[in-house]
Amino acid sequence: MKAVYVKEPHSLEIVELPEPAAGRGEVLVRVRAAGICGSDMHIYHGTNPLAKYPRIIGHEFAGEILALGEGVQGLSVGDRVAVDPVTSCGTCYPCSIGRHNVCAKLGVFGVHRDGGMVERVAVPAVNAHLVPKDWAWEKAALVEPFSIAANVLSRAQCTEKDRVLVMGAGPIGLTVLMGAVLTGARVAVADVLDSRLDVAKKLGAERAVNSGSLNLEEEMTRWTGGDGVPLIVDAVCNPALFPSLLRMASPAGRVAHLGFSETPSPVVPLDITKKELTIVGSRLNCNMFPRVIEWFGRGLPAEKLISHTFPLSQAREAFKLVEEKPLETCKVLLTFPD
Ligand code: MN
């Protein structure tokens, strides 16, 4: 079977590998669609400090069950599933309080262990979430990227009463926008590219602010009548902007952070204390697949995120496109033809 294989940084190939089998508690999945994510690009280029090589990449994937391992119940051959890429030990402190996405021994498909850009893969049955048979495979492969949005909105307790500022209108910012809109919140989006802001408007942003040409803090003061923004989700993750997020937040507001930057940020502690801000990090997802599948069922237009699809055989071309045309691509998917 064929797999997208990063042998070492800067070396991406389609290779022939032996067939896997479903072990105890696992299901064998025939992958039908897999998304390319920024983090796949980082693994490809050797800029993900967590990745180990060689690696079959891909953590955004869906397919059909080909076989059940011993002891698997509640799933059947032929079922269509989206695969949650997060695996955990179940016994460490975060696992013990239900926060297994920050497990001390976290194992993510396509990062710490071989992933889903492969024709067939064995995954724990508990990671395989049923999706309706009438969904396109591409849509099923989008459950994972939207689980990032569901997790951050859950961590920040987004409700229909919120005004939300989403920093960044790249793929992740747009998933957060769509999730917040579906929740009933009023959403503003900031980016420096008008083309992305146009997409954000079409997806339901009430305000789309070019923060390169306008003063975002003034715009948010105006938008909220001077109250400040109750919920800010940072999907840009420029550490230099973080102090501004704290200034824009309303009293009792929440600031949620998604980035992996190691660059320090000059935060003013007074901004946190005097407004009693809640600052949360959000990583991957914690049991959010059912919520996202429900979102899609309620009509969240996930497929609008897709800009291109390529068959597996053209994986190198797909990665090249994402790399060379970041402004013309949004979510790029690999499909696995019969
Ligand atoms: Mn991803």
Side-chain angles (χ1 to χ4, degrees), residues 88-109:
S88 57
C89 75
T91 56
C92 67
Y93 167 69
C95 282
S96 76
I97 60 163
R99 300 273 296 277
H100 68 92
N101 56 317
V102 285
C103 169
K105 294 178 186 160
L106 181 68
V108 178
F109 277 91

Side-chain angles (χ1 to χ4, degrees), residues 130-201:
L130 278 174
V131 299
K133 295 229 185 259
D134 61 352
W135 283 14
W137 291 114
E138 290 87 345
K139 179 173 176 172
L142 290 171
V143 174
E144 196 281 340
F146 277 88
S147 76
I148 306 299
N151 202 71
V152 72
L153 293 171
S154 166
R155 291 274 294 144
Q157 301 182 325
C158 179
T159 74
E160 75 285 352
K161 290 181 187 157
D162 277 317
R163 281 182 194 245
V164 182
L165 168 61
V166 179
M167 297 294 294
I172 293 293
L174 294 177
T175 64
V176 176
L177 162 67
M178 284 191 260
V181 166
L182 195 78
T183 304
R186 297 171 64 178
V187 188
V189 175
D191 201 290
V192 294
L193 295 165
D194 283 329
S195 57
R196 288 185 172 181
L197 291 166
D198 289 341
V199 176
K201 273 188 223 158

Side-chain angles (χ1 to χ4, degrees), residues 36-47 319-320 322-323:
I36 298 175
C37 176
S39 62
D40 295 312
M41 302 307 287
H42 286 299
I43 295 170
Y44 175 25
H45 291 302
T47 49
F319 276 81
K320 194 166 183 282
V322 174
E323 188 163 46

Side-chain angles (χ1 to χ4, degrees), residues 15 24 58 60 65 97 118 131 137 147 184 218 237 317 328 335:
V15 298
R24 187 172 174 77
E60 306 177 355
I65 294 182
I97 60 163
V118 61
V131 299
W137 291 114
S147 76
E218 285 175 14
C237 311
E317 288 83 349
E328 289 165 39
T335 56

Side-chain angles (χ1 to χ4, degrees), residues 233-257:
V233 177
D234 185 5
V236 168
C237 311
N238 177 349
L241 294 177
F242 202 61
S244 171
L245 307 188
L246 301 185
R247 286 194 296 272
M248 287 189 285
S250 73
R254 292 141 284 147
V255 177
H257 194 66

Side-chain angles (χ1 to χ4, degrees), residues 150-151 153-154 287-296 298:
N151 202 71
L153 293 171
S154 166
N287 298 324
M288 289 293 152
F289 270 53
R291 181 171 301 180
V292 174
I293 291 166
E294 185 248 336
W295 278 1
F296 287 10
R298 277 164 60 197

